[in-house]
């Protein structure tokens, strides 16, 4: 009797499973004898009008071009199955942008090295007079060093983002590189706001004195006296070269600040779409209907492009302000410069200051 019960316990589930399997197969074929093909496979079609295993080339071409589908979630960007522009972005960033950016930086360093080799340090030909004059006050120096120091931090962390995996990672290892890069990301994001304050300060403090005038043409015609000893073209508080630097830093700084904000707060600003729409008024024919992802790709490329250009320019500025010209660092170091230095490099400014002092004494 116990053996009978055991056999029933074993056979009953097996029999029940066989019956259920037969029922499912019959339902799929629509025939109790299982001699019909599955309804879902008839003619290679799937119920509901779906394509099933067949392919529609036009649909895939549209998807490849970035056609947007419908999604039920809040993030509508998920409607893009393929974002083809991402390949273009990657090719530009890792190709010409990265290559030409490194050429610009190392090319600037090479040019400055050659200039120093043939020209040497630009000396004050009259020698130190022992008498100084205030060139920049405390507020001006604060604005300069705020902008300069924050830019150096931003440049170093930004260069690490672009080139670190090729230069730094092989030297210190993946784990240390990941730690440094993560810290650098936070430095880059937060120090960027201090840089914006610095740009605003130097714009307010020096914009009036950096408006071009006729003396700048004479300065440029003589190369600023940089290439010939004894050549001292006229210049006011800022010469033509410094004015060019000022506007490059201000306009470039504003530009990378805007693109930086767009990158910190992704998919919030459509700066390129609006800019392209404005330029199209003048017949440029630029794509103004950019997707949010395309906006971010344009922002990243532009941010890196301007930053690399500014880095090359600032390297030249650092050279002239330190090694390249005697007495130049004092202007932003102590705020005081030797009168002979001022007479040789900014004679019109020295005359204005001395005239103002004389009138004040009267």
């Amino acid at each position: 009797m116990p053996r009978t019960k055991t056999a029933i316990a074993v056979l009953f589930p097996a029999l029940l499973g066989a019956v259920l399997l037969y029922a499912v197969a019959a339902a799929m074929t629509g025939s109790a004898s299982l001699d019909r093909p599955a309804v879902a496979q008839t003619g290679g079609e799937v119920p509901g009008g779906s394509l099933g295993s067949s392919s529609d080339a036009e649909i895939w071409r549209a998807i490849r071009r970035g056609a947007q589908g419908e999604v039920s979630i809040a993030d509508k960007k998920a409607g893009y199955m393929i974002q083809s522009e991402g390949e273009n972005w990657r090719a530009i960033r890792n190709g010409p942008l990265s290559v030409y950016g490194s050429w610009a930086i190392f090319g600037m360093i090479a040019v400055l090295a050659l200039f120093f080799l043939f020209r040497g340090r630009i000396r004050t030909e009259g020698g130190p007079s022992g008498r100084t004059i205030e060139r920049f006050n405390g507020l001006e120096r604060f604005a300069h060093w705020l902008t300069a120091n924050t830019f150096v931090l931003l440049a170093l962390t930004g260069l690490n983002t672009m080139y670190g995996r090729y230069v730094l990672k092989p030297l210190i290892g993946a784990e240390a590189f990941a730690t440094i890069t993560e810290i650098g990301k936070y430095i880059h994001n937060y120090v960027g706001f201090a840089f914006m304050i610095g740009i605003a300060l130097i714009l307010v403090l020096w914009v009036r004195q950096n408006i071009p005038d006729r003396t700048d043409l004479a300065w440029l015609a003589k190369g600023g006296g940089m290439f010939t000893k004894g050549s001292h073209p006229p210049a006011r508080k800022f010469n033509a070269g410094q004015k060019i630097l000022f506007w490059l830093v201000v306009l470039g700084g504003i530009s990378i600040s805007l693109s930086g904000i767009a990158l910190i707060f992704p998919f919030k600003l459509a700066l390129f779409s609006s800019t392209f729409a404005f330029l199209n008024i003048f017949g440029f024919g630029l794509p103004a209907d950019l997707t949010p992802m395309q906006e971010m790709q344009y922002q990243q490329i532009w941010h890196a492009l301007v930053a690399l250009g500014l880095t090359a320019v600032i390297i030249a500025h650092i050279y002239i302000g330190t090694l390249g010209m005697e007495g130049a660092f004092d202007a932003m170091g102590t705020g005081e410069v030797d009168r002979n230095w001022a007479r040789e490099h900014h004679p019109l400014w020295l005359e204005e200051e001395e005239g103002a002092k004389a009138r004040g004494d009267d």
Side-chain angles (χ1 to χ4, degrees):
M1 190 68 179
R3 292 182 178 179
T4 304
K5 291 182 177 180
T6 302
I8 293 174
V10 173
L11 292 174
F12 181 76
L15 182 61
L16 181 60
V19 171
L20 291 175
L21 182 62
Y22 172 80
V24 170
M28 292 180 63
T29 61
S31 170
S33 59
L34 306 182
D35 57 354
R36 295 183 185 178
V39 174
Q41 298 176 353
T42 302
E45 297 180 356
V46 178
S50 300
L51 291 176
S53 60
S54 62
S55 176
D56 188 326
E58 291 303 320
I59 291 179
W60 288 108
R61 289 193 186 98
I63 292 174
R64 188 67 178 79
R65 289 192 297 266
Q68 184 179 14
E70 295 182 2
V71 293
S72 58
I73 61 177
D75 186 6
K76 301 305 179 185
K77 296 187 298 298
Y80 293 96
M81 185 179 296
I82 298 177
Q83 210 268 331
S84 300
E85 289 79 5
E87 295 180 5
N88 300 332
W89 168 81
R90 188 183 304 107
I92 293 173
R93 182 192 182 279
N94 297 337
L97 180 63
S98 178
V99 172
Y100 296 145
S102 62
W103 287 3
I105 292 174
F106 286 108
M108 179 62 74
I109 294 173
V111 168
L112 293 173
L114 288 173
F115 180 80
F116 182 76
L117 181 64
F118 289 101
R119 178 67 169 87
R121 194 179 197 197
I122 300 174
R123 302 286 183 179
T124 303
E125 295 179 7
S129 66
R131 297 180 299 126
T132 62
I133 183 173
E134 184 182 68
R135 179 147 172 79
F136 295 110
N137 60 36
L139 178 59
E140 290 175 310
R141 297 200 306 278
F142 169 78
H144 171 270
W145 288 117
L146 175 63
T147 308
N149 290 331
T150 53
F151 181 83
V152 170
L153 287 173
L154 293 169
L156 290 176
T157 52
L159 289 172
N160 178 61
T161 300
M162 178 161 283
Y163 301 108
R165 72 186 66 181
Y166 311 113
V167 178
L168 196 57
K169 183 179 176 181
L171 298 177
I172 64 176
E175 186 173 349
F177 173 71
T179 300
I180 290 174
T181 303
E182 182 180 12
I183 295 172
K185 181 181 79 73
Y186 289 111
I187 291 174
H188 200 90
N189 289 349
Y190 288 105
V191 169
F193 293 101
F195 173 74
M196 297 175 200
I197 294 173
I199 291 293
L201 282 174
I202 65 173
L203 176 62
V204 172
L205 291 171
W206 295 330
V207 63
R208 182 178 60 84
Q209 294 157 320
N210 277 280
I211 297 174
D213 56 43
R214 286 180 296 179
T215 60
D216 298 326
L217 297 177
W219 190 94
L220 291 171
K222 294 185 178 182
M226 302 285 289
F227 304 95
T228 307
K229 293 182 179 180
S231 177
H232 304 296
R236 301 187 187 278
K237 183 166 186 174
F238 296 105
N239 58 44
Q242 292 169 323
K243 290 179 181 180
I244 293 172
L245 174 67
F246 173 83
W247 288 112
L248 285 175
V249 170
V250 168
L251 297 178
I254 292 173
S255 182
I256 59 175
S257 295
L258 290 174
S259 59
I261 291 173
L263 293 171
I264 292 174
F265 304 102
F267 310 114
K268 302 297 183 183
L269 301 176
L271 299 178
F272 272 89
S273 293
S274 56
T275 301
F276 288 169
F278 173 76
L279 293 176
N280 287 343
I281 298 176
F282 305 97
F284 280 86
L286 299 170
D289 55 342
L290 301 176
T291 66
M293 187 61 71
Q294 288 174 318
E295 273 284 345
M296 295 302 298
Q297 290 161 351
Y298 275 102
Q299 299 288 0
Q300 199 279 333
I301 293 296
W302 181 255
H303 190 80
L305 177 65
V306 176
L308 287 168
L310 280 180
T311 299
V313 170
I314 294 301
I315 288 173
H317 175 61
I318 292 173
Y319 165 79
I320 291 295
T322 53
L323 181 63
M325 179 179 290
E326 181 183 21
F329 185 80
D330 294 335
M332 281 300 174
T334 64
E336 300 278 334
V337 295
D338 189 88
R339 286 180 177 268
N340 280 351
W341 182 91
R343 185 171 291 108
E344 292 180 11
H345 299 292
H346 299 272
L348 299 180
W349 168 75
L350 180 62
E351 291 177 8
E352 293 171 356
E353 292 296 309
E354 290 178 337
K357 187 177 183 300
R359 289 191 297 272
D361 293 341
D362 293 341

